[in-house]
Every structure is written in C-alpha cells, then in structure tokens.
C-alpha cells in the first residue's frame, strides 16, 4: 500500500482530503443526533468507515471498478442516511464531486445520470420531497458538484499533459544534442579512417614504388625529378597524417565506462530521472565502432524509458565478458497491459547497428512495470589474441619508414624492430623473437634469402616473407625452396599486405598473384616437390580450397568475403591464383575440375 501511495500526485491527495472531510462530517452529524437513533453505536459509527474504506481500496487495486463501487456503496449509504436523518440531504455532494473527478474518457455517459438523476431522485422519494424540490434543489446541486469534479479533472489532465510535454521537450533536447555530438564523432572518425585507408595508403604505395625503381635509373635528370616527386609524396603523407590526427575525435580517447558515465550524468541533469550505473568484469580495449554503438544504445534506451514509459528510475549495467560485451538497461516505466512492445525507428536503428557488428538486441516486458533492454556484441576472436610481432628489414630507410607507416595503425600488428641489413636482422630476431620477418631480398653482404636461411636454422617457428622490387620467378622459386613463407612485390597495396601477413601468420603460404602461375610452372619443370606448401597436385592452399567450396555452393565473392572476414578484393586475388594453378579461366571451369579431381565434395 505504501508503494502505491508514494506515487500519488497532489490532486490524488486533494480528492482523498475531500472524502476524509465527508467522513468527518458524517461522524460529527451522527454524534450530534445519535440519541435520536436506535442503532448500536458500533454500527452507527463503524458503517461510515466501511463506506469510506471499501471504495478507497477498490480504487488502489481495481481502479476500473472504483466509480461503480463508489456509486453503489456510497450512494446507497447516503440514501439510507437521508432516510434516517432528513438533515443529511447534502452528504452526497462531496461524493458526487469525487465521482465527477474520476469520470474520465466516456465513463461520464453512465456515471453522470446515476449521480445527477438516479440517486437524488431516490433521496427525494425517501425524504418526501416534492418533484420540484427534487429537481431544483437536489438534482441541480448534485449536478453542479459532479460538473465541478469533472471540470477539475479536465484541468488536472491539461496540467499533466503540460508537464509531460515539458518533460518530453527536455528529453528530446538532450537526445538531439547527444545525437548531434555522436553523429559528429562518427563522421569525423569515418573521415579520418577513409583518409588513412585511401589517401595515406596511396602515398605509401607511391613512395615504395618510386623507391623500388630508383636504383634502375641511369639518367641523373630523371633521378632528380624522381627525388623531387618522392619529397613531395613524403610531405603529402606527413600533412595527411597530421590531418588525420586532428580529425580523430579526442573524446573517443575516453574508455567506454568513462564515456557512458559522462552521457548518463548529462541525461540526469536534463531530466528528473535517476540513473544507476554498474559495471561487471575488467574493461578491455574496444574498437571505436563498438564504443559508438554501445553509447548509441544507452542513449536510445534512456530516452525511450522516459518518453514512452515515463520511468523515474533506470539501471544501466555493462558486462565485459570474455566472449561478448553486454549492455543491460532496466527501467520502472509503466506499460499498457497486454500490449506488445514494437520496434520504432530508434530501436530499429539500434538493432541494425548491433547486427552490423554481429550483435543482437532483445527486449523483455513480462512485467508491465518493468522493461529490460539487452544489447550484445561478440568479442572479436582476433582481439583475444596477442598482436602479431613483425620485424621489417630493408637497406633503404625510406622503405622501412613507409612500411612502418602502412602497418603500425593495425591493432593486430606490432612492429617490434627494423633492420637495414641481413646481419642486423639476425641480431634483432634473436632479441625480439618475432612472428614474421618482412625482408627485402636485395641487400649488400647478406641478401634476404641468405639471412632467411640463418633465421630459420635458429628458430624454425619464425615466418619469413621475402619482398622484391621486380618479378623474378627464379628468385621466388629459390626463396620458396629454402623455406620462405611468402614472396611479395613491393608494389603490393598496403591493405592487401596487412591481410597477407595475417594469412601467413595462420599458416598459409602466399605468392604474389602476378607471378604465382609462373612460379608453380617453374617448380613443376624442375620436378620440385612442394608438398611442404601444398597437399594436392595443383598446389591449392587450404584457404583456396575453402573458397572453391563456397563457389561450388553458389556463393558470390562478396558473400564469401563476409563469411571469411576478408575483403572482396582479397577473395578475388585468391580466386585468380587458384584459376592459374588449375589452368582454367573462370569459376565454372574451376568447380568442374575440382569435382573431377576430387578436391571438393559433390
């Protein structure tokens, strides 16, 4: 009962006061005339309390039956009271006011006639009032009381709607401000990422490509022009990196917990809602897209709880589990019984954002006074592993710097050292124990292949990728024979290079697609067994077999890329290499040949 009463508004207390005054006036009247009445005192004074209490309790627990109960019980009692004491003709007036006040919507259609006409007419009959007196005195006075109650209810409704509108405006202003801020952060983050992935990579590729051909130039004038272009490209790359740094949203440097607390504090300042925040587990590093999505979900859940549920208390919980990140928002807002909660624009947008990150949105409204919104985003398996440690080796410093620029932004790659000769590479590998060595092939004293042999002898677990400026099939074959895990050209796009290093770390052997077919033909001509790298007659890697299986099932490159978490361009490169190895020109021929050779199941 206390939980119900503490939610009363000022007008509920006012109506309660009117009924209390009615009870008090009845008790005073009964005390004044109790000598003239033949009823026992316990009935005389106990009955008014029953008449007062029963409708009150019905109102708290079965509200829709309150007016009918009030008319039947209180009306009947007032009729009996008027019959016993003729001076109690007016005791029904406060009750008529209360009935008028609670006759909301279309209830007045039947409550009005009963209150204004039926009960006054019966009271007039039991007190021997003339028809004129009944109409002019009782019906008119009871009608005025009912009308005043109904008018007061309209005023209260308008007042409540005004409060709701002001509250909604406050919430919407806060919501719009947060949407504006988050949209700005997302756009700046997108622009900085696009600049880095397009313009930055283009500059890096240009620098690496120009450096690779500089040694072959004999004309000093041409070399001078090339140096000028290189300087211009380096300056452009430097300016672009400064611009990316400036565009990078500084607020995203905050942790998710800090950002969430900041958002909730601003929300509480703008509304009268209490928000309690709890965090479970140790916070781990999250991509910016995940942080922005969770913040969006918190914002939308808070706003919905206040706008649609009129919640006064909200609980926000963040769970940093080993497999997923989970957000749970609970509110005490009131929902319509039996009405299923539908996904509006805001909740639909939340669901789409979560699904884009392989996440999920679920809403539970089993209890009409509580809604629970749960958002989950799986933790990327790559985020659970340590970064791939990479050593860069090249005798030209500018190439090292360009490679480092291209790779250092990747969270899964860690540049643990750079060497400018084969000898330095040996020392560095002994100190840092890298996962992958990205090695230039042409270096003075000890070239890349010679250094690779020594590295492999000392630690066979280290994977070595040979980088070359030119397409040299003999050199590639030699490198592969001596244990290279990959052979790439320096003209490779930086994004493709990053993905290639991840594949090599997983155990694949990668040959640049422009020379792959020639390399395998050369290996066949030399009768070299390359089962170390492949386990079929055509030299198809496990990844290529995986892709051809998907192609046989009818999947397109884009769908395969999504399943394997690769770019569509990388899948096309794999397919191109695979067609070359199979000596076919399209996917249909490749599928047919793999089926004939038993490389894939029918």
């Amino acid at each position: 009962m206390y939980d119900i009463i503490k939610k009363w508004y000022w007008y509920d207390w006012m109506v309660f006061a009117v009924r209390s005054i009615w009870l008090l006036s009845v008790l005073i009247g009964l005390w004044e005339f109790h000598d003239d009445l033949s009823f026992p005192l316990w009935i005389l004074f106990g009955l008014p309390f029953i008449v007062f209490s029963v409708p009150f309790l019905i109102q708290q627990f079965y509200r829709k039956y309150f007016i009918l109960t009030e008319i039947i019980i209180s009306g009947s009692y007032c009729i009996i009271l008027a019959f016993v004491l003729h001076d109690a003709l007016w005791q029904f007036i406060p009750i008529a006011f209360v009935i008028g006040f609670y006759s909301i919507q279309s209830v007045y259609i039947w409550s009005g006639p009963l209150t204004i006409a039926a009960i006054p007419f019966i009271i007039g009959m039991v007190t021997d009032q003339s028809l004129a007196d009944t109409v002019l005195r009782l019906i008119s006075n009871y009608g005025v009381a009912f009308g005043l109650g109904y008018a007061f209810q309209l005023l209260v409704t308008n007042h409540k709607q005004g409060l709701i509108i002001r509250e909604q405006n406050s919430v919407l202003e806060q919501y719009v401000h947060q949407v504006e801020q988050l949209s700005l952060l997302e756009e700046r983050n997108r622009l900085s990422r696009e600049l880095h992935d397009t313009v930055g990579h283009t500059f890096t590729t240009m620098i690496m490509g120009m450096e690779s051909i500089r040694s072959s130039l004999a004309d000093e004038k041409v070399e001078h022009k090339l140096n000028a272009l290189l300087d211009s490209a380096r300056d452009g790359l430097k300016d672009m990196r400064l611009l990316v740094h400036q565009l990078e949203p500084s607020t995203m440097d905050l942790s998710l917990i800090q950002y969430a607390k900041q958002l909730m504090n601003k929300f509480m300042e703008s509304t009268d809602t209490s928000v309690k925040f709890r965090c479970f587990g140790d916070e781990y590093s999250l991509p910016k897209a995940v942080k922005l999505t969770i913040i969006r979900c918190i914002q939308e859940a808070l706003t919905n709880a206040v706008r649609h549920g009129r919640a006064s208390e909200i609980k926000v919980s963040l769970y940093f589990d080993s497999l997923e990140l989970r957000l749970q928002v609970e509110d005490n807002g009131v929902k319509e019984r039996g009405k299923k909660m539908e996904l509006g624009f805001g909740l639909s947008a939340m669901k789409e954002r979560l699904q884009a990150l392989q996440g999920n949105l679920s809403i539970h409204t089993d209890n009409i006074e509580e809604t629970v919104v749960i958002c989950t985003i799986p933790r990327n398996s790559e985020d659970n592993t340590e970064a791939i440690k990479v050593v860069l080796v090249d005798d030209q410093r500018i190439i090292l710097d360009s490679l480092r620029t291209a790779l250092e932004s990747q969270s899964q790659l860690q540049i643990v050292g750079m060497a400018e000769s084969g000898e330095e590479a040996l020392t560095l590998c002994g100190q840092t124990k890298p996962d992958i060595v990205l090695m230039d092939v042409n270096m003075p004293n000890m070239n890349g292949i010679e250094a690779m042999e020594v590295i492999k002898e000392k630690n066979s677990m280290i994977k070595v990728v040979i980088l070359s400026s030119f397409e040299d099939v003999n050199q590639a074959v030699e490198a592969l024979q001596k244990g290279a895990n990959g052979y790439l050209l320096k003209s490779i796009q930086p994004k493709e290079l990053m993905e290639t290093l991840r594949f090599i770390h997983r155990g694949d052997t990668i040959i640049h697609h422009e020379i792959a077919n020639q390399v395998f033909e050369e290996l066949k001509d030399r009768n070299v067994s390359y089962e170390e790298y492949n386990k079929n007659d055509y030299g198809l890697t496990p990844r290529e077999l995986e892709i051809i299986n998907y192609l046989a099932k009818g999947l397109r490159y884009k769908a395969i890329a999504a399943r394997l978490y690769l770019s569509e361009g990388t899948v096309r490169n794999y397919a191109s290499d695979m067609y070359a190895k199979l000596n076919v020109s399209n996917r249909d021929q490749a599928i047919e040949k793999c089926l004939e050779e038993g490389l894939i199941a029918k």
Side-chain angles (χ1 to χ4, degrees), residues 17-79:
V18 170
R19 297 188 83 252
S20 299
I21 292 171
W22 171 84
L23 175 64
L24 184 62
S25 65
V26 169
L27 293 176
I28 292 174
L30 290 174
W31 178 258
E32 184 177 350
F33 296 101
H34 75 278
D35 292 334
D36 300 332
L37 301 173
S38 58
F39 295 99
L41 288 179
W42 66 272
I43 294 179
L44 201 64
F45 291 99
L47 193 58
F49 282 102
I50 295 174
V51 173
F52 174 85
S53 301
V54 171
F56 174 77
L57 294 174
I58 293 293
Q59 180 188 10
Q60 307 311 312
F61 299 104
Y62 304 98
R63 195 179 185 90
K64 64 181 180 179
Y65 301 114
F66 164 67
I67 293 179
L68 183 62
T69 305
E70 187 79 292
I71 291 173
I72 294 173
I73 295 180
S74 300
S76 299
Y77 180 74
C78 287
I79 291 171

Side-chain angles (χ1 to χ4, degrees), residues 332-580:
N332 65 347
V334 179
K335 313 296 180 298
E336 292 185 29
R337 187 184 295 272
K339 183 176 180 181
K340 185 178 179 180
M341 189 170 184
E342 298 179 354
L343 293 182
F345 176 78
L347 291 175
S348 297
M350 281 172 60
K351 188 172 184 178
E352 290 174 4
R353 286 175 175 274
L354 291 165
Q355 288 178 341
L357 297 170
Q358 288 79 51
N360 188 42
L361 169 69
S362 58
I363 302 174
H364 306 276
T365 56
D366 294 338
N367 188 329
I368 64 169
E369 294 188 351
E370 182 179 273
T371 296
V372 181
V373 177
I374 300 176
C375 306
T376 58
I377 297 178
R379 191 176 179 188
N380 194 317
S381 60
E382 290 186 359
D383 293 335
N384 293 331
T385 60
E386 295 181 359
I388 303 171
K389 296 187 291 185
V390 180
V391 164
L392 306 177
V393 185
D394 198 295
D395 60 334
Q396 299 182 59
R397 189 69 193 185
I398 185 62
I399 297 293
L400 289 176
D401 292 337
S402 299
L403 286 171
R404 182 165 193 163
T405 299
L407 299 176
E408 66 182 356
S409 63
Q410 299 300 303
S411 59
Q412 286 82 35
L413 298 179
Q414 179 186 2
I415 309 302
V416 295
M418 298 192 300
E420 297 185 23
S421 68
E423 294 85 350
E424 287 184 29
L426 298 179
T427 304
L428 197 56
C429 288
Q431 294 171 348
T432 61
K433 294 181 173 54
D435 298 306
I436 297 176
V437 177
L438 194 56
M439 180 113 61
D440 180 28
V441 67
N442 295 316
M443 294 185 293
N445 300 326
M446 177 182 285
N447 65 34
I449 296 177
E450 294 170 345
M452 176 194 67
E453 289 185 279
V454 179
I455 290 171
K456 289 281 189 178
E457 287 177 5
K458 293 184 177 181
N459 189 343
S460 61
M461 299 301 293
I462 297 177
K463 296 176 173 61
V464 180
V465 181
I466 297 297
L467 275 179
S468 177
S469 301
F470 307 101
E471 299 178 11
D472 191 329
V473 175
N474 292 327
Q475 193 179 69
V477 170
E478 181 186 1
L480 292 172
Q481 283 181 298
K482 293 182 178 180
N485 301 93
Y487 186 91
L488 306 174
L489 298 182
K490 288 184 179 178
S491 58
I492 186 173
Q493 290 290 327
K495 193 169 185 179
E496 185 181 352
L497 175 59
M498 297 169 200
E499 293 176 349
T500 300
L501 292 180
R502 294 192 186 100
F503 299 149
I504 290 173
H505 184 254
R506 294 172 190 163
D508 288 344
T509 299
I510 306 296
I511 305 171
H512 199 281
H513 61 87
E514 293 180 11
I515 62 171
N517 192 42
Q518 301 174 57
V519 169
F520 282 102
E521 288 295 332
E522 182 67 22
L523 286 171
K524 289 180 182 179
D525 292 341
R526 297 186 185 185
N527 295 319
V528 175
S529 173
Y530 44 93
E531 291 180 358
E532 181 181 350
Y533 312 105
N534 308 285
K535 295 183 179 180
N536 54 74
D537 294 338
Y538 295 95
L540 299 180
T541 66
R543 179 68 78 186
E544 289 167 345
L545 289 172
E546 190 174 15
I547 289 173
I548 193 64
N549 268 291
Y550 281 130
L551 290 173
K553 293 177 182 178
L555 272 68
R556 299 294 178 185
Y557 291 136
K558 189 173 183 179
I560 297 172
R563 291 199 178 199
L564 299 179
Y565 301 98
L566 305 174
S567 69
E568 187 176 351
T570 300
V571 174
R572 289 183 182 276
N573 288 337
Y574 270 122
S576 178
D577 293 344
M578 181 172 56
Y579 298 160

Side-chain angles (χ1 to χ4, degrees), residues 290-333:
V290 173
K291 286 203 283 188
L292 281 171
T293 298
I294 291 297
I295 291 298
R296 285 279 199 187
C297 291
I298 293 175
Q299 179 197 21
E300 191 65 42
L302 293 177
T303 304
N304 276 339
V306 174
R307 286 185 60 198
H308 303 300
R310 291 164 54 189
S312 58
E313 294 181 0
I314 304 175
K315 297 177 182 178
V316 179
S317 304
L318 264 178
Y319 298 84
F320 291 91
D321 293 339
S322 59
L323 298 179
E324 68 179 11
L325 172 66
R326 186 166 78 257
L327 167 69
Q328 184 169 310
V329 181
E330 307 171 55
D331 69 75
N332 65 347

Side-chain angles (χ1 to χ4, degrees), residues 30-261:
L30 290 174
W31 178 258
E32 184 177 350
F33 296 101
H34 75 278
D35 292 334
D36 300 332
L37 301 173
S38 58
F39 295 99
L41 288 179
W42 66 272
I43 294 179
L44 201 64
F45 291 99
L47 193 58
F49 282 102
I50 295 174
V51 173
F52 174 85
S53 301
V54 171
F56 174 77
L57 294 174
I58 293 293
Q59 180 188 10
Q60 307 311 312
F61 299 104
Y62 304 98
R63 195 179 185 90
K64 64 181 180 179
Y65 301 114
F66 164 67
I67 293 179
L68 183 62
T69 305
E70 187 79 292
I71 291 173
I72 294 173
I73 295 180
S74 300
S76 299
Y77 180 74
C78 287
I79 291 171
I80 295 171
L81 194 63
F83 176 75
V84 175
L85 293 173
H86 284 15
D87 291 336
L89 286 171
W90 314 112
Q91 287 298 328
F92 190 66
I93 287 180
I95 302 299
F97 175 86
V98 172
I99 294 172
F101 179 77
Y102 284 110
S103 294
I104 59 176
Q105 297 178 352
S106 59
V107 175
Y108 66 89
I109 295 175
W110 59 268
S111 65
L114 289 175
T115 305
I116 298 172
I119 292 178
F121 185 76
I122 296 173
I123 290 177
M125 289 179 59
V126 300
T127 55
D128 297 326
Q129 301 286 323
S130 65
L131 181 61
D133 286 341
T134 300
V135 173
L136 295 175
R137 296 177 62 199
L138 297 180
I139 293 180
S140 62
N141 287 330
Y142 289 173
V144 169
F146 181 90
L148 288 174
Y150 187 76
F152 187 71
Q153 178 257 327
L154 293 177
L155 289 174
V156 169
T157 300
N158 289 334
H159 174 72
K160 288 165 63 178
Q161 289 177 344
L163 290 177
I164 291 172
I165 290 172
R166 285 195 292 273
E167 182 181 347
Q168 294 292 323
N169 283 339
S170 175
V171 173
L172 285 174
E173 287 175 3
Q174 188 269 346
Y175 179 77
V176 169
H177 175 73
Q178 290 295 329
V179 167
E180 182 182 359
Q181 294 297 316
L182 287 172
S183 297
L184 181 61
L185 287 177
E186 285 183 321
E187 185 61 18
R188 292 179 68 183
N189 185 51
R190 185 189 68 82
L191 283 174
S192 63
R193 185 175 63 251
E194 289 297 325
L195 280 173
H196 180 274
D197 291 346
T198 56
V199 181
H201 288 172
T202 300
F203 273 121
T204 302
T205 303
M206 288 171 57
I207 292 170
M208 292 173 62
M210 286 187 286
E211 282 290 348
S212 66
I213 65 173
R214 184 167 61 174
S215 59
S216 62
L217 296 176
D219 193 329
E220 292 185 2
K221 291 183 178 180
V222 175
E223 186 175 1
H224 178 73
K225 290 181 180 180
L226 182 63
N227 289 334
L229 288 173
L230 277 168
D231 291 339
S232 178
R234 292 182 198 123
D235 292 339
L237 181 60
K238 182 179 179 182
D239 292 341
M240 187 279 303
R241 294 182 68 186
L242 288 173
L243 180 60
V244 168
H245 181 71
Q246 292 170 1
L247 280 175
E248 193 75 12
S250 58
T251 50
M252 292 311 295
D253 293 335
L254 297 175
S255 68
L256 177 58
I257 293 176
Q258 291 172 326
Y259 205 140
K261 287 181 178 178

Side-chain angles (χ1 to χ4, degrees), residues 280-293:
F280 301 89
D282 297 328
E283 183 176 11
Y284 40 74
S285 177
L286 293 168
K288 291 172 186 174
V290 173
K291 286 203 283 188
L292 281 171
T293 298

